[in-house]
Amino acid sequence: MKSQSPPPSLDARYSGISPRLVKIAQNAKDKLYSNKTVPESVPRRHGVRLPPDTTGEAFDEAIKALRKALGEDNVVLNDKPLVDGWYLEHPNTHDAFHLVDQEDLVSSATAYPASTADVQAVVKWANEHGIPIYPISMGRNVGYGGTAPRVPGSVVVDLGKRMNKIINIDAENASCVVEPGVSYFALYDEIQRRNLPFWIDCPDLGGGSVLGNAIDRGVGYTPMGDHFGAHCGMEVVLPTGELLRTGMGALPGKDGADNPTWQSFPAAYGPYSDGIFSQSNFGIVCQMGFHLMHETGHQSYMLTFPRDEDFPDIVEIIRPLAQKGILGNIPQLRHVVQELNVTGHPKSHWYSGPGPVPRDVIRKHASQMPCGDCAWVFYGTQYGDETAIKTQLDVIKSAFSAINGFKFFLPLDVPPDHYLNDRALVCSGVPVLRELEWLNWKPNSAHLFFSPITPTRGRDAQIVHDINVRLHAKYGIDLFPTLCIAGREMHYITNIIYDRSSDEEKRRVNALMTELIAETAREGYGEYRTHLLYADQVARTYNWNDNALMRFNETIKDALDPNGILAPGRNGIWPKKYRGKGWELLAGDDRIHKAIGGGTIAPSRATKAKL
Ligand code: ADP
């Protein structure tokens, strides 16, 4: 395996890797690149992608004005060859996991503000010039569109590069305030450096923005895994450039100080407005407060269940355990095929035939692995002192013993490099990189998430699972379900892995996604988050009472963003300027399909003329 250039370290770059993980990151990069068959970049076929309805001259003038406002070096044109990079060296020019043509979902330029005042200046500039902007924090929203703007030619506002301060860690209140460019790695390292007795809560990978992930309503795995739920107070630049603080932050502190309860009480007085700034395009969040968890004892464990048909019974047993608070965190339930791919071996290591890895092949390999020949693998963690953990584990084991053949493993029962040891870290607030391993499944690997929510009930979970099994088989794609199961709902997350260099594969993936969204919606289930290409389709499944929710969102959008400059189309919310003019990609529209071969998802000529 050829050694690649070293990944950036956190000492040198805000988006780099903790020094403790440098070797692991190097190894992950080397492995990923050894499985890559496409060149790092190819010459661009087109020049700078202009924002819609903007001439070259008007764009040049606008860029000149933006450079004047932010400084020459802080506005960069997107005119160089596009590089997909990898997790720690990701682009801010396009979607690194492009499903459509690499050059389609691209920005025209990137702006790097250094302060809230700079962000206000960018927003005012966008209004003046009628140019759409697309804010990102760190841009590691992989599987949901990365850093790509929904409207090609938008100016990406990369907040993280120059706004990456941990503004405060309050040891008495057990809380912090961060800017968009603070990653889980950075916050964790700072808490260790200050020797504070707190945990952070991180998602499966630690390189994302604490703030960005929370406003996209990402999840983690300690008892504080609801990231948006754990936030307390925001500072937001509205699409007109006005500045807002939410919660107690709206009440000025004494002598111009921040309000002393800004990070203590999230709701404060009047309507709770924070929610409208999550998964939306109603504002740019420049600071956000979070509660931190106190360190505690913890014990991770793995359960295995022998039969595929055990699935609904497992869910039924989890429900009361979770509702009663006996399960310590949001556990993950994974199909055994994931045990194969999280080893980091490519698919070809396990199976060289056509189509998805057959069940008997998975069985044969699993029987040689620590999990043994099983169908479902459950990763959980219990918290508290030793006695409390033992009591909880006794209750859990007794509940699951209703399923014949279930097995229980502690980290000591598996080899040191087993995934359970990485789960133990994530579930005790230590950010890691292990989840990158399954990206080696295919050459030039990319992935999308399909993420419906179901009640925590066996029959509902089974309906969504059956749809996934059937449609993945129809389109010849391996099914990788990971279920994050709470007491009343579960996130059924499917990881759809594809080869970025294969248009044929991308087309199958697109057909699969479109059909998955439509079929699950017909059964009454909806996604909690989706790739920006499917935002319209998913948003339109939430159409109760003649799309009342979307009409409500559009009313807010038009009031807050009359010129429609902020992230048009994000989460399916289009401002008046774009609405109904051919931008929406609804079910049955085959523009994504066509764009995969080099077309564009922008409106066709006929529809564009109406803009
Ligand atoms: P992360 O690095 O945490 O995965 P991103 O920076 O990619 O997150 O953010 C996820 C998405 O959330 C972005 O694509 C963007 O649409 C939106 N977003 C991110 N940061 C902000 C912000 N500070 N204000 C408004 N929207 C944001």
Side-chain angles (χ1 to χ4, degrees):
M1 203 159 53
K2 192 170 159 237
S3 188
Q4 302 294 323
S5 60
S9 146
L10 201 47
D11 312 329
R13 209 177 135 75
Y14 78 102
S15 61
I17 186 77
S18 299
R20 73 188 160 87
L21 291 171
V22 163
K23 264 205 193 126
I24 290 173
Q26 180 77 56
N27 188 36
K29 181 176 180 184
D30 294 348
K31 245 196 214 171
L32 205 68
Y33 275 70
S34 72
N35 208 5
K36 186 163 164 253
T37 62
V38 291
E40 189 69 347
S41 67
V42 290
R44 289 274 283 260
R45 283 176 286 117
H46 312 288
V48 172
R49 178 74 174 254
L50 293 178
D53 295 332
T54 309
T55 63
E57 297 81 66
F59 181 69
D60 289 347
E61 277 307 305
I63 289 294
K64 224 187 268 169
L66 190 58
R67 286 192 164 136
K68 201 162 162 212
L70 294 187
E72 200 63 27
D73 297 342
N74 297 318
V75 180
V76 177
L77 283 184
N78 182 6
D79 57 357
K80 321 245 169 353
L82 299 172
V83 178
D84 293 337
W86 71 296
Y87 185 69
L88 285 172
E89 289 159 299
H90 62 302
N92 60 9
T93 44
H94 67 292
D95 183 4
F97 290 165
H98 39 92
L99 184 69
V100 291
D101 186 82
Q102 190 196 31
E103 277 196 53
D104 196 17
L105 278 177
V106 289
S107 63
S108 54
T110 310
Y112 297 101
S115 62
T116 298
D118 273 0
V119 174
Q120 289 177 282
V122 174
V123 165
K124 285 182 181 148
W125 166 88
N127 276 291
E128 251 168 62
H129 296 271
I131 291 181
I133 53 176
Y134 194 83
I136 59 166
S137 286
M138 312 232 8
R140 290 201 170 121
N141 201 19
V142 290
Y144 293 113
T147 60
R150 174 62 176 81
V151 170
S154 299
V155 170
V156 162
V157 184
D158 186 334
L159 301 153
K161 185 177 171 199
R162 298 172 75 211
M163 294 173 72
N164 50 44
K165 284 189 292 300
I166 297 170
I167 293 171
N168 187 27
I169 299 180
D170 182 335
E172 289 169 336
N173 196 49
S175 63
C176 64
V177 181
V178 294
E179 287 189 324
V182 177
S183 70
Y184 295 98
F185 290 134
L187 184 58
Y188 172 81
D189 282 9
E190 183 59 18
I191 287 174
Q192 302 311 305
R193 197 187 64 75
R194 296 193 198 181
N195 209 12
L196 292 169
F198 300 129
W199 282 1
I200 62 164
D201 185 283
C202 46
D204 297 289
L205 286 168
S209 154
V210 174
L211 184 158
N213 185 280
I215 56 174
D216 216 28
R217 301 208 290 267
V219 295
Y221 302 97
T222 74
M224 291 177 75
D226 172 359
H227 291 170
F228 192 74
H231 99 274
C232 194
M234 289 177 167
E235 181 171 284
V236 190
V237 172
L238 298 178
T240 49
E242 202 173 326
L243 186 59
L244 175 79
R245 279 190 174 183
T246 65
M248 296 302 291
L251 193 157
K254 196 175 171 192
D255 299 329
D258 291 347
N259 187 286
T261 39
W262 194 20
Q263 269 64 63
S264 304
F265 185 49
Y269 183 74
Y272 179 62
S273 36
D274 292 42
I276 66 164
F277 298 109
S278 73
Q279 289 200 4
S280 78
N281 46 14
F282 298 158
I284 301 183
V285 184
C286 294
Q287 289 183 22
M288 202 159 160
F290 290 93
H291 291 166
L292 297 167
M293 181 172 157
H294 279 266
E295 286 176 351
T296 179
H298 57 99
Q299 178 64 64
S300 291
Y301 56 98
M302 172 173 101
L303 308 175
T304 61
F305 303 94
R307 292 163 296 270
D308 287 75
E309 312 79 75
D310 290 331
F311 177 60
D313 296 337
I314 301 168
V315 174
E316 287 293 305
I317 292 172
I318 290 174
R319 185 179 60 244
L321 289 174
Q323 284 184 6
K324 291 177 193 167
I326 294 166
L327 291 177
N329 67 346
I330 304 281
Q332 277 196 351
L333 182 67
R334 299 173 154 224
H335 192 263
V336 64
V337 64
Q338 316 258 57
E339 293 293 302
L340 269 53
N341 81 347
V342 86
T343 60
H345 290 304
K347 180 174 181 174
S348 54
H349 173 87
W350 308 103
Y351 174 66
S352 52
V357 187
R359 187 65 184 92
D360 59 325
V361 175
I362 299 171
R363 175 159 287 132
K364 187 185 90 195
H365 292 301
S367 63
Q368 308 298 314
M369 298 169 75
C371 63
D373 176 10
C374 65
W376 296 97
V377 186
F378 173 108
Y379 288 99
T381 302
Q382 299 307 127
Y383 301 90
D385 62 28
E386 240 175 78
T387 320
I389 289 175
K390 185 178 176 314
T391 312
Q392 294 157 14
L393 283 177
D394 286 347
V395 176
I396 291 163
K397 283 193 245 178
S398 148
F400 282 114
S401 65
I403 297 179
N404 258 343
F406 107 94
K407 292 198 176 115
F408 176 85
F409 300 80
L410 288 172
L412 281 174
D413 303 326
V414 296
D417 65 348
H418 191 275
Y419 183 61
L420 177 56
N421 292 297
D422 295 274
R423 288 319 292 170
L425 291 171
V426 172
C427 295
S428 55
V430 184
V432 294
L433 272 183
R434 177 65 185 259
E435 216 72 24
L436 285 180
E437 293 285 8
W438 47 253
L439 259 190
N440 298 311
W441 190 250
K442 296 219 147 185
N444 315 306
S445 216
H447 71 97
L448 276 178
F449 289 119
F450 173 63
S451 316
I453 303 289
T454 82
T456 306
R457 246 192 327 243
R459 61 179 183 277
D460 296 275
Q462 189 70 53
I463 291 171
V464 169
H465 182 57
D466 288 346
I467 293 174
N468 269 288
V469 170
R470 182 165 44 79
L471 292 179
H472 276 70
K474 174 175 170 185
Y475 290 105
I477 290 168
D478 290 296
L479 171 62
F480 296 120
T482 296
L483 291 71
C484 304
I485 310 184
R488 294 176 178 83
E489 65 76 31
M490 51 186 250
H491 288 43
Y492 182 114
I493 298 178
T494 320
N495 196 356
I496 302 172
I497 305 177
Y498 56 96
D499 178 342
R500 269 170 299 164
S501 71
S502 164
D503 285 352
E504 185 276 329
E505 215 167 288
K506 286 174 162 185
R507 287 206 177 89
R508 271 189 288 133
V509 164
N510 175 49
L512 170 64
M513 266 302 271
T514 311
E515 217 168 313
L516 281 171
I517 296 166
E519 282 225 16
T520 45
R522 262 198 296 278
E523 295 292 335
Y525 309 102
E527 282 68 63
Y528 92 102
R529 197 174 176 191
T530 197
H531 188 281
L532 79 177
L533 285 171
Y534 303 97
D536 295 315
Q537 196 194 339
V538 168
R540 297 307 162 105
T541 61
Y542 289 84
N543 59 13
W544 185 80
N545 190 21
D546 189 22
N547 290 301
L549 182 62
M550 182 50 78
R551 285 185 283 115
F552 176 76
N553 286 335
E554 287 169 353
T555 305
I556 298 176
K557 180 67 178 165
D558 291 343
L560 293 179
D561 187 7
N563 296 322
I565 51 99
L566 187 59
R570 176 150 169 75
N571 285 87
I573 305 167
W574 291 96
K576 201 166 49 237
K577 180 176 172 188
Y578 293 78
R579 202 148 60 228
K581 290 169 181 152
W583 286 91
E584 296 90 342
L585 290 166
L586 302 177
D589 184 330
D590 72 347
R591 260 180 296 167
I592 301 177
H593 228 59
K594 287 187 183 143
I596 288 168
T600 174
I601 55 147
S604 63
R605 263 238 187 91
T607 48
K608 208 172 171 181
K610 289 188 253 153
L611 189 72

PDB file of all heavy atoms in Angstrom, residues 134-141 146 159 180 208-209 211-213 215-216 283-285 570, ligand 1:
ATOM      1  N   TYR A 134     -24.508  30.092   0.066  1.00  0.00           N
ATOM      2  CA  TYR A 134     -24.779  28.792   0.691  1.00  0.00           C
ATOM      3  C   TYR A 134     -23.803  28.591   1.849  1.00  0.00           C
ATOM      4  O   TYR A 134     -22.615  28.337   1.628  1.00  0.00           O
ATOM      5  CB  TYR A 134     -24.614  27.683  -0.359  1.00  0.00           C
ATOM      6  CG  TYR A 134     -25.186  26.370   0.096  1.00  0.00           C
ATOM      7  CD1 TYR A 134     -26.544  26.101  -0.039  1.00  0.00           C
ATOM      8  CD2 TYR A 134     -24.374  25.395   0.682  1.00  0.00           C
ATOM      9  CE1 TYR A 134     -27.087  24.900   0.385  1.00  0.00           C
ATOM     10  CE2 TYR A 134     -24.913  24.188   1.110  1.00  0.00           C
ATOM     11  CZ  TYR A 134     -26.273  23.955   0.958  1.00  0.00           C
ATOM     12  OH  TYR A 134     -26.807  22.771   1.383  1.00  0.00           O
ATOM     13  N   PRO A 135     -24.277  28.765   3.103  1.00  0.00           N
ATOM     14  CA  PRO A 135     -23.349  28.663   4.241  1.00  0.00           C
ATOM     15  C   PRO A 135     -23.023  27.217   4.587  1.00  0.00           C
ATOM     16  O   PRO A 135     -23.893  26.349   4.551  1.00  0.00           O
ATOM     17  CB  PRO A 135     -24.139  29.303   5.387  1.00  0.00           C
ATOM     18  CG  PRO A 135     -25.575  29.107   5.031  1.00  0.00           C
ATOM     19  CD  PRO A 135     -25.650  29.069   3.526  1.00  0.00           C
ATOM     20  N   ILE A 136     -21.776  26.964   4.922  1.00  0.00           N
ATOM     21  CA  ILE A 136     -21.380  25.667   5.485  1.00  0.00           C
ATOM     22  C   ILE A 136     -20.533  25.954   6.730  1.00  0.00           C
ATOM     23  O   ILE A 136     -19.931  27.018   6.838  1.00  0.00           O
ATOM     24  CB  ILE A 136     -20.578  24.793   4.498  1.00  0.00           C
ATOM     25  CG1 ILE A 136     -19.302  25.515   4.039  1.00  0.00           C
ATOM     26  CG2 ILE A 136     -21.427  24.381   3.312  1.00  0.00           C
ATOM     27  CD1 ILE A 136     -18.300  24.607   3.352  1.00  0.00           C
ATOM     28  N   SER A 137     -20.506  25.006   7.627  1.00  0.00           N
ATOM     29  CA  SER A 137     -19.676  25.173   8.822  1.00  0.00           C
ATOM     30  C   SER A 137     -18.325  24.521   8.579  1.00  0.00           C
ATOM     31  O   SER A 137     -17.314  25.189   8.416  1.00  0.00           O
ATOM     32  CB  SER A 137     -20.372  24.587  10.040  1.00  0.00           C
ATOM     33  OG  SER A 137     -21.427  25.434  10.431  1.00  0.00           O
ATOM     34  N   MET A 138     -18.291  23.163   8.542  1.00  0.00           N
ATOM     35  CA  MET A 138     -17.056  22.489   8.160  1.00  0.00           C
ATOM     36  C   MET A 138     -17.221  21.773   6.830  1.00  0.00           C
ATOM     37  O   MET A 138     -16.251  21.364   6.222  1.00  0.00           O
ATOM     38  CB  MET A 138     -16.622  21.467   9.215  1.00  0.00           C
ATOM     39  CG  MET A 138     -16.650  22.026  10.570  1.00  0.00           C
ATOM     40  SD  MET A 138     -15.235  21.920  11.643  1.00  0.00           S
ATOM     41  CE  MET A 138     -13.897  21.318  10.781  1.00  0.00           C
ATOM     42  N   GLY A 139     -18.482  21.548   6.453  1.00  0.00           N
ATOM     43  CA  GLY A 139     -18.726  20.915   5.160  1.00  0.00           C
ATOM     44  C   GLY A 139     -18.538  19.412   5.159  1.00  0.00           C
ATOM     45  O   GLY A 139     -18.335  18.809   4.119  1.00  0.00           O
ATOM     46  N   ARG A 140     -18.643  18.818   6.360  1.00  0.00           N
ATOM     47  CA  ARG A 140     -18.463  17.348   6.393  1.00  0.00           C
ATOM     48  C   ARG A 140     -19.815  16.642   6.510  1.00  0.00           C
ATOM     49  O   ARG A 140     -19.953  15.619   7.170  1.00  0.00           O
ATOM     50  CB  ARG A 140     -17.524  16.975   7.528  1.00  0.00           C
ATOM     51  CG  ARG A 140     -16.113  17.415   7.215  1.00  0.00           C
ATOM     52  CD  ARG A 140     -15.070  16.662   8.016  1.00  0.00           C
ATOM     53  NE  ARG A 140     -13.743  16.956   7.500  1.00  0.00           N
ATOM     54  CZ  ARG A 140     -12.764  17.489   8.227  1.00  0.00           C
ATOM     55  NH1 ARG A 140     -12.949  17.762   9.493  1.00  0.00           N
ATOM     56  NH2 ARG A 140     -11.591  17.703   7.679  1.00  0.00           N
ATOM     57  N   ASN A 141     -20.766  17.213   5.833  1.00  0.00           N
ATOM     58  CA  ASN A 141     -22.109  16.647   5.836  1.00  0.00           C
ATOM     59  C   ASN A 141     -22.170  15.528   4.800  1.00  0.00           C
ATOM     60  O   ASN A 141     -23.030  15.498   3.925  1.00  0.00           O
ATOM     61  CB  ASN A 141     -23.080  17.773   5.461  1.00  0.00           C
ATOM     62  CG  ASN A 141     -24.482  17.502   5.904  1.00  0.00           C
ATOM     63  OD1 ASN A 141     -24.711  16.676   6.768  1.00  0.00           O
ATOM     64  ND2 ASN A 141     -25.435  18.190   5.295  1.00  0.00           N
ATOM     65  N   GLY A 146     -22.614  17.103   1.244  1.00  0.00           N
ATOM     66  CA  GLY A 146     -21.315  17.718   1.541  1.00  0.00           C
ATOM     67  C   GLY A 146     -21.415  19.231   1.526  1.00  0.00           C
ATOM     68  O   GLY A 146     -22.270  19.807   2.195  1.00  0.00           O
ATOM     69  N   LEU A 159     -17.779  29.115   6.670  1.00  0.00           N
ATOM     70  CA  LEU A 159     -17.659  29.809   7.955  1.00  0.00           C
ATOM     71  C   LEU A 159     -16.492  29.264   8.780  1.00  0.00           C
ATOM     72  O   LEU A 159     -15.850  29.985   9.546  1.00  0.00           O
ATOM     73  CB  LEU A 159     -18.956  29.640   8.758  1.00  0.00           C
ATOM     74  CG  LEU A 159     -20.218  30.174   8.067  1.00  0.00           C
ATOM     75  CD1 LEU A 159     -21.456  29.438   8.546  1.00  0.00           C
ATOM     76  CD2 LEU A 159     -20.362  31.665   8.339  1.00  0.00           C
ATOM     77  N   PRO A 180     -18.747  28.085  14.111  1.00  0.00           N
ATOM     78  CA  PRO A 180     -19.019  26.987  13.167  1.00  0.00           C
ATOM     79  C   PRO A 180     -17.826  26.068  12.875  1.00  0.00           C
ATOM     80  O   PRO A 180     -18.007  24.895  12.567  1.00  0.00           O
ATOM     81  CB  PRO A 180     -19.449  27.724  11.894  1.00  0.00           C
ATOM     82  CG  PRO A 180     -19.966  29.040  12.368  1.00  0.00           C
ATOM     83  CD  PRO A 180     -19.153  29.402  13.561  1.00  0.00           C
ATOM     84  N   GLY A 208     -16.749  16.444  11.923  1.00  0.00           N
ATOM     85  CA  GLY A 208     -17.785  17.415  11.581  1.00  0.00           C
ATOM     86  C   GLY A 208     -17.812  18.581  12.546  1.00  0.00           C
ATOM     87  O   GLY A 208     -17.162  18.580  13.595  1.00  0.00           O
ATOM     88  N   SER A 209     -18.588  19.589  12.172  1.00  0.00           N
ATOM     89  CA  SER A 209     -18.741  20.775  13.010  1.00  0.00           C
ATOM     90  C   SER A 209     -19.775  20.488  14.100  1.00  0.00           C
ATOM     91  O   SER A 209     -20.874  20.000  13.807  1.00  0.00           O
ATOM     92  CB  SER A 209     -19.214  21.933  12.129  1.00  0.00           C
ATOM     93  OG  SER A 209     -19.914  22.879  12.887  1.00  0.00           O
ATOM     94  N   LEU A 211     -21.474  22.661  15.680  1.00  0.00           N
ATOM     95  CA  LEU A 211     -22.610  23.548  15.389  1.00  0.00           C
ATOM     96  C   LEU A 211     -23.374  23.072  14.137  1.00  0.00           C
ATOM     97  O   LEU A 211     -24.596  22.940  14.145  1.00  0.00           O
ATOM     98  CB  LEU A 211     -22.066  24.968  15.210  1.00  0.00           C
ATOM     99  CG  LEU A 211     -22.999  26.149  14.990  1.00  0.00           C
ATOM    100  CD1 LEU A 211     -22.290  27.444  15.380  1.00  0.00           C
ATOM    101  CD2 LEU A 211     -23.504  26.246  13.576  1.00  0.00           C
ATOM    102  N   GLY A 212     -22.631  22.776  13.073  1.00  0.00           N
ATOM    103  CA  GLY A 212     -23.263  22.384  11.795  1.00  0.00           C
ATOM    104  C   GLY A 212     -24.061  21.107  11.947  1.00  0.00           C
ATOM    105  O   GLY A 212     -25.181  20.992  11.447  1.00  0.00           O
ATOM    106  N   ASN A 213     -23.506  20.142  12.657  1.00  0.00           N
ATOM    107  CA  ASN A 213     -24.207  18.869  12.828  1.00  0.00           C
ATOM    108  C   ASN A 213     -25.489  19.076  13.633  1.00  0.00           C
ATOM    109  O   ASN A 213     -26.525  18.484  13.336  1.00  0.00           O
ATOM    110  CB  ASN A 213     -23.278  17.862  13.522  1.00  0.00           C
ATOM    111  CG  ASN A 213     -23.916  16.487  13.623  1.00  0.00           C
ATOM    112  OD1 ASN A 213     -24.736  16.264  14.500  1.00  0.00           O
ATOM    113  ND2 ASN A 213     -23.555  15.593  12.735  1.00  0.00           N
ATOM    114  N   ILE A 215     -27.354  21.847  13.873  1.00  0.00           N
ATOM    115  CA  ILE A 215     -28.446  22.491  13.141  1.00  0.00           C
ATOM    116  C   ILE A 215     -28.965  21.617  11.999  1.00  0.00           C
ATOM    117  O   ILE A 215     -30.061  21.829  11.508  1.00  0.00           O
ATOM    118  CB  ILE A 215     -28.127  23.925  12.642  1.00  0.00           C
ATOM    119  CG1 ILE A 215     -26.907  23.959  11.803  1.00  0.00           C
ATOM    120  CG2 ILE A 215     -28.062  24.914  13.757  1.00  0.00           C
ATOM    121  CD1 ILE A 215     -26.684  25.336  11.215  1.00  0.00           C
ATOM    122  N   ASP A 216     -28.192  20.605  11.605  1.00  0.00           N
ATOM    123  CA  ASP A 216     -28.736  19.658  10.638  1.00  0.00           C
ATOM    124  C   ASP A 216     -29.403  18.479  11.368  1.00  0.00           C
ATOM    125  O   ASP A 216     -29.771  17.494  10.751  1.00  0.00           O
ATOM    126  CB  ASP A 216     -27.642  19.166   9.687  1.00  0.00           C
ATOM    127  CG  ASP A 216     -28.190  18.953   8.283  1.00  0.00           C
ATOM    128  OD1 ASP A 216     -29.163  19.627   7.917  1.00  0.00           O
ATOM    129  OD2 ASP A 216     -27.655  18.084   7.561  1.00  0.00           O
ATOM    130  N   GLY A 283     -31.514  31.456   8.273  1.00  0.00           N
ATOM    131  CA  GLY A 283     -30.493  32.274   8.920  1.00  0.00           C
ATOM    132  C   GLY A 283     -29.143  31.582   8.883  1.00  0.00           C
ATOM    133  O   GLY A 283     -29.060  30.390   8.578  1.00  0.00           O
ATOM    134  N   ILE A 284     -28.091  32.348   9.178  1.00  0.00           N
ATOM    135  CA  ILE A 284     -26.747  31.769   9.267  1.00  0.00           C
ATOM    136  C   ILE A 284     -26.353  31.787  10.743  1.00  0.00           C
ATOM    137  O   ILE A 284     -26.291  32.855  11.360  1.00  0.00           O
ATOM    138  CB  ILE A 284     -25.729  32.570   8.429  1.00  0.00           C
ATOM    139  CG1 ILE A 284     -26.176  32.602   6.956  1.00  0.00           C
ATOM    140  CG2 ILE A 284     -24.335  31.971   8.569  1.00  0.00           C
ATOM    141  CD1 ILE A 284     -25.204  33.314   6.029  1.00  0.00           C
ATOM    142  N   VAL A 285     -26.122  30.606  11.287  1.00  0.00           N
ATOM    143  CA  VAL A 285     -25.824  30.502  12.713  1.00  0.00           C
ATOM    144  C   VAL A 285     -24.321  30.736  12.910  1.00  0.00           C
ATOM    145  O   VAL A 285     -23.491  30.012  12.346  1.00  0.00           O
ATOM    146  CB  VAL A 285     -26.246  29.126  13.258  1.00  0.00           C
ATOM    147  CG1 VAL A 285     -26.023  29.067  14.764  1.00  0.00           C
ATOM    148  CG2 VAL A 285     -27.713  28.844  12.924  1.00  0.00           C
ATOM    149  N   ARG A 570     -32.731  24.676  -0.042  1.00  0.00           N
ATOM    150  CA  ARG A 570     -32.298  23.783   1.037  1.00  0.00           C
ATOM    151  C   ARG A 570     -33.527  23.226   1.759  1.00  0.00           C
ATOM    152  O   ARG A 570     -34.463  23.960   2.054  1.00  0.00           O
ATOM    153  CB  ARG A 570     -31.391  24.541   2.005  1.00  0.00           C
ATOM    154  CG  ARG A 570     -31.002  23.695   3.181  1.00  0.00           C
ATOM    155  CD  ARG A 570     -29.648  24.041   3.751  1.00  0.00           C
ATOM    156  NE  ARG A 570     -29.447  23.375   5.021  1.00  0.00           N
ATOM    157  CZ  ARG A 570     -29.182  22.077   5.159  1.00  0.00           C
ATOM    158  NH1 ARG A 570     -29.075  21.304   4.101  1.00  0.00           N
ATOM    159  NH2 ARG A 570     -29.038  21.539   6.346  1.00  0.00           N
TER     160      ARG A 570
HETATM  161  P1  ADP B   1     -20.745  19.290   9.310  1.00  0.00           P
HETATM  162  O1  ADP B   1     -19.372  19.662   8.945  1.00  0.00           O
HETATM  163  O2  ADP B   1     -21.070  19.452  10.750  1.00  0.00           O
HETATM  164  O3  ADP B   1     -21.153  17.934   8.835  1.00  0.00           O
HETATM  165  P2  ADP B   1     -21.835  21.196   7.423  1.00  0.00           P
HETATM  166  O4  ADP B   1     -20.982  22.353   7.599  1.00  0.00           O
HETATM  167  O5  ADP B   1     -21.645  20.403   6.175  1.00  0.00           O
HETATM  168  O6  ADP B   1     -21.786  20.260   8.667  1.00  0.00           O
HETATM  169  O7  ADP B   1     -23.345  21.638   7.581  1.00  0.00           O
HETATM  170  C1  ADP B   1     -24.416  20.850   7.220  1.00  0.00           C
HETATM  171  C2  ADP B   1     -25.419  21.698   6.463  1.00  0.00           C
HETATM  172  O8  ADP B   1     -26.041  22.604   7.372  1.00  0.00           O
HETATM  173  C3  ADP B   1     -24.771  22.573   5.406  1.00  0.00           C
HETATM  174  O9  ADP B   1     -24.795  21.947   4.150  1.00  0.00           O
HETATM  175  C4  ADP B   1     -25.613  23.840   5.410  1.00  0.00           C
HETATM  176  O10 ADP B   1     -26.697  23.712   4.528  1.00  0.00           O
HETATM  177  C5  ADP B   1     -26.129  23.928   6.816  1.00  0.00           C
HETATM  178  N1  ADP B   1     -25.283  24.788   7.647  1.00  0.00           N
HETATM  179  C6  ADP B   1     -24.071  24.473   8.150  1.00  0.00           C
HETATM  180  N2  ADP B   1     -23.603  25.439   8.920  1.00  0.00           N
HETATM  181  C7  ADP B   1     -24.517  26.411   8.924  1.00  0.00           C
HETATM  182  C8  ADP B   1     -24.614  27.661   9.600  1.00  0.00           C
HETATM  183  N3  ADP B   1     -23.666  28.041  10.431  1.00  0.00           N
HETATM  184  N4  ADP B   1     -25.717  28.412   9.387  1.00  0.00           N
HETATM  185  C9  ADP B   1     -26.693  27.977   8.570  1.00  0.00           C
HETATM  186  N5  ADP B   1     -26.673  26.794   7.933  1.00  0.00           N
HETATM  187  C10 ADP B   1     -25.599  26.020   8.100  1.00  0.00           C
END
